Amino acid sequence: MPQLRYFTAGESHGQCLIGVIEGLPAGLKLDTDAINRELARRQKGYGRGGRMKIETDTVEILSGMRRGETIGAPVTLMVKNRDFKINELPPVTKPRPGHADLTGVIKYDRQDARDILERSSARETTMRVAIGGVCKHLLSTIGVDVVGHIVELGPVKAKVDGSSFQQIRERSEISEVRCADADAEKQMIEAIDEAKSNGDTLGGIFEIIAVGVPIGLGSHVQWDRKLDANIARALMSIQAIKGVETGMGFEVGRRFGSQVHDEILPAQAGLFTRSSNNAGGFEGGMTNGQPIVVRAAMKPLSTLMKPMRSVDITTKEEVKATVERSDVCATPAAAVIGEAVVAIELAAAVLEKFGGDSIRELTRNVASYREACKRW
Ligand code: EPS
């Protein structure tokens, strides 16, 4: 059983969202304000809808912590929903193409798609961002840092080649669409405005970069220990994500080997270096010491103000799909969620490799391994 485990509970308009994390070492200082800042980042982004004006997501830590530090016990997190009205909401009988609505009602034998959409809603990701915030605390104790930013939104591509991790972080953080390229940002905003005026929605592609990652997280020896695969799964589990790529991504299938692989160069600061990072930080399912670079493609949200054709599940007649309050574009928010799920998978992989019932034990183990790697 892996050391770090977690699950989430809660409906979009239920009382609250809950997360339970087990396996955190004792002695991890948790700053609730820092977790709340992550939640606020998720709520931002040009193209968000009315719900984000209602909520000010804040976390309460209900267990596993004493005097600001974890004690090794399961940590329970709670975020209350201000828009708690699940029992007053009208039924949904006109499933939206692209949403979980139709398959969900058939599978769970429900007459009201609200029973499905309340849990399938991306509101659930609030809790994954809170859990990711906790995992970022753990990662910072060993010098690992994660950032997410938008590289494409609808038809617009950002130019960020040659930017450092820090530049990407600073520029994307002040951008309304979490994009580090100010020229592209303007066009992205225009594209969102166009989608909105047409009653339509827009998706995009976000990139997650992680730096300071030790060599050798994950393992080549078994399919379910390959960390790139676990990260891909975590990203695919974010609502509306339809594709994931690492490093050079699908382009690797179009080039010769000599144009793809990252040459190994003599040691600098005790560690071998690489001529490039087309592998996105992974070889053999293991981190190779280079920055992790992964991207995910998000489809346009499936609630359209100008709805598509559907069938009423009660009358069986052709209708237009349900129109609910929703966002025009939530890809900037998805980049924050991507950061969180990557942080969770990295924290799990760190604890799998280095163990540790306390933060002191964990950091000692990581430091001694890093020293050993330099002697190579
Ligand atoms: C979301 C909350 C939801 C939606 C959105 C994400 O709030 P409500 O449904 O009350 O407007 O804004 O969810 C969807 C787009 C979806 O299809 O479920 C959130 O907190 O991120």
Side-chain angles (χ1 to χ4, degrees), residues 306-322:
K306 206 189 231 175
M308 295 172 81
R309 284 185 301 171
S310 180
V311 171
D312 189 300
I313 55 172
T314 317
T315 65
K316 316 290 184 231
E317 276 164 11
E318 189 179 311
V319 288
K320 292 288 184 187
T322 287

Side-chain angles (χ1 to χ4, degrees), residues 9-18 42 51 54-58 78-86 118 123-124 126:
E11 283 74 45
S12 183
H13 304 95
Q15 266 185 58
C16 63
L17 304 162
I18 293 280
R42 194 201 73 94
R51 179 73 183 269
I54 300 172
E55 305 292 344
T56 313
D57 293 331
T58 45
M78 179 180 70
V79 175
K80 283 191 183 140
N81 285 325
R82 287 198 180 171
D83 209 17
F84 168 36
K85 57 179 183 191
I86 193 165
E118 279 294 324
R123 178 100 192 114
E124 176 268 338
T126 307

Side-chain angles (χ1 to χ4, degrees), residues 72-364:
V75 170
T76 307
L77 306 175
M78 179 180 70
V79 175
K80 283 191 183 140
N81 285 325
R82 287 198 180 171
D83 209 17
F84 168 36
K85 57 179 183 191
I86 193 165
N87 294 320
E88 286 92 64
L89 287 164
V92 173
T93 59
K94 299 162 187 155
R96 291 158 290 177
H99 213 274
D101 299 348
L102 179 62
T103 307
V105 289
I106 295 170
K107 177 174 165 65
Y108 286 89
D109 194 14
R110 309 307 296 163
Q111 309 309 311
D112 177 358
R114 185 157 302 283
D115 290 350
I116 306 306
L117 69 91
E118 279 294 324
R119 180 62 185 160
S120 67
S121 166
R123 178 100 192 114
E124 176 268 338
T125 61
T126 307
M127 187 43 69
R128 282 198 270 176
V129 169
I131 294 171
V134 170
C135 290
K136 282 185 181 181
H137 281 70
L138 181 114
L139 294 174
S140 77
T141 67
I142 60 157
V144 176
D145 207 352
V146 188
V147 75
H149 66 116
I150 298 298
V151 290
E152 290 185 42
L153 202 142
V156 188
K157 280 188 187 180
K159 287 194 192 75
V160 286
D161 284 357
S163 308
S164 69
F165 180 87
Q166 213 44 44
Q167 284 167 332
I168 287 176
R169 162 164 290 160
E170 281 160 20
R171 290 174 191 166
S172 64
E173 201 59 42
I174 54 167
S175 158
E176 281 197 86
V177 286
R178 201 160 284 286
C179 176
D181 172 353
D183 291 335
E185 177 188 15
K186 277 193 214 122
Q187 296 168 50
M188 288 174 182
I189 289 173
E190 280 166 22
I192 296 170
D193 286 340
E194 188 188 336
K196 188 174 184 179
S197 63
N198 292 336
D200 220 324
T201 54
L202 210 55
I205 299 175
F206 64 78
E207 180 175 83
I208 309 294
I209 309 168
V211 292
V213 184
I215 294 176
L217 298 183
S219 176
H220 64 290
V221 303
Q222 200 61 261
W223 66 271
D224 59 353
R225 293 179 60 194
K226 294 182 189 234
L227 183 56
D228 48 359
N230 290 342
I231 285 178
R233 174 186 167 170
L235 288 167
M236 279 297 288
S237 77
I238 299 171
Q239 287 78 345
I241 299 302
K242 297 301 276 184
V244 176
E245 56 179 22
T246 51
M248 195 182 251
F250 275 43
E251 186 60 26
V252 297
R254 302 180 193 114
R255 296 198 185 191
F256 292 110
S258 58
Q259 300 165 322
V260 170
H261 302 299
D262 308 310
E263 287 182 298
I264 303 168
L265 304 175
Q268 270 177 19
L271 288 169
F272 299 118
T273 56
R274 297 302 181 103
S275 57
S276 51
N277 185 22
N278 295 335
F282 288 103
E283 283 166 320
M286 296 175 280
T287 53
N288 65 2
Q290 295 291 109
I292 291 176
V293 183
V294 289
R295 281 177 294 278
M298 182 182 194
K299 67 182 179 182
L301 295 175
S302 46
T303 308
L304 306 189
M305 293 305 137
K306 206 189 231 175
M308 295 172 81
R309 284 185 301 171
S310 180
V311 171
D312 189 300
I313 55 172
T314 317
T315 65
K316 316 290 184 231
E317 276 164 11
E318 189 179 311
V319 288
K320 292 288 184 187
T322 287
V323 179
E324 287 240 324
R325 177 183 62 201
S326 188
D327 308 314
V328 177
C329 178
T331 316
V336 177
I337 302 158
E339 258 181 38
V341 303
V342 168
I344 296 169
E345 293 307 314
L346 285 177
V350 163
L351 289 172
E352 185 193 312
K353 174 150 178 58
F354 299 103
D357 293 311
S358 68
I359 288 296
R360 269 215 288 258
E361 187 180 3
L362 171 69
T363 51
R364 205 164 55 221

